[in-house]
Amino acid sequence: SAIFELYPPQLLSVSVTKLLLCFMMMFTYPMPFFSSRELIIMMAMIPLNQRGQESQPTAEGERTTKGASSPWWLVDDRQLIAPLHLLLTFVLWFTTTMLAIMAPSLADVLDVVGCSSGTTIGFLLPPLFWFRLRGFSWLATLLLVVGGLVGAIGTWFSVEKLLQ
């Protein structure tokens, strides 16, 4: 980080801070993999198991699949076997590491993430929730169209800047 260039490199406190920062990054970097891995399993792996099977409601209101048995790649209904778990984690790690190495600067990456997720959260999801909960509204439609255009244009220019 460029912030450490402000201090003399021979100071022990600067070296200790750099070391602690490395440890912090090493132990916090894998944390987002948990949710990403769970989403991939729920969206890709579990539907493969439940295709063509009848869904039955239970007393608690949940839906279960009648006669479903876990396929060979799942330990239970939601957890991959160890080799696939490690492979999926490695693929996520390798992909994010390569993208981080290829990115010219953190500012460009934050531009892309901010344009895409910020407009989605601020301008696209509220009108969609409105449509789902209350029905059609011209104001929600206007917000959806304008927010979608601004988000698409901003994301386009941010990705273009990142790829240059």
Side-chain angles (χ1 to χ4, degrees):
S1 178
I3 195 165
F4 292 116
E5 293 176 6
L6 299 173
Y7 302 101
Q10 65 271 17
L11 285 176
L12 179 65
S13 60
V14 172
S15 298
V16 169
T17 305
K18 286 180 182 179
L19 183 66
L20 291 175
L21 183 62
C22 287
F23 279 121
M24 183 191 71
M25 283 196 233
M26 185 173 64
F27 289 119
T28 59
Y29 181 65
M31 291 303 291
F33 291 160
F34 178 76
S35 58
S36 301
R37 193 174 42 235
E38 287 292 316
L39 286 173
I40 290 170
I41 291 169
M42 284 178 16
M43 292 173 59
M45 302 292 187
I46 291 177
L48 289 174
N49 181 28
Q50 296 175 351
R51 285 194 185 136
Q53 296 175 349
E54 218 174 284
S55 179
Q56 299 290 328
T58 62
E60 294 83 22
E62 298 175 3
R63 298 194 73 80
T64 60
T65 307
K66 183 179 180 182
S69 62
S70 293
W72 64 270
W73 63 79
L74 293 175
V75 174
D76 55 16
D77 287 340
R78 296 183 57 131
Q79 184 62 42
L80 291 175
I81 59 173
L84 288 179
H85 178 88
L86 293 173
L87 178 67
L88 182 58
T89 303
F90 176 77
V91 167
L92 286 171
W93 170 82
F94 185 78
T95 304
T96 57
T97 302
M98 287 300 111
L99 289 173
I101 289 171
M102 293 170 32
S105 74
L106 181 62
D108 294 338
V109 174
L110 292 177
D111 283 345
V112 172
V113 171
C115 285
S116 59
S117 64
T119 54
T120 301
I121 292 169
F123 295 104
L124 301 180
L125 289 179
L128 292 175
F129 291 149
W130 182 274
F131 290 147
R132 176 76 173 135
L133 296 174
R134 303 219 177 175
F136 181 78
S137 165
W138 284 108
L139 183 61
T141 305
L142 178 68
L143 186 61
L144 184 66
V145 169
V146 172
L149 285 174
V150 169
I153 292 169
T155 303
W156 174 268
F157 284 112
S158 294
V159 168
E160 191 175 89
K161 182 181 172 188
L162 179 68
L163 296 177
Q164 287 179 351

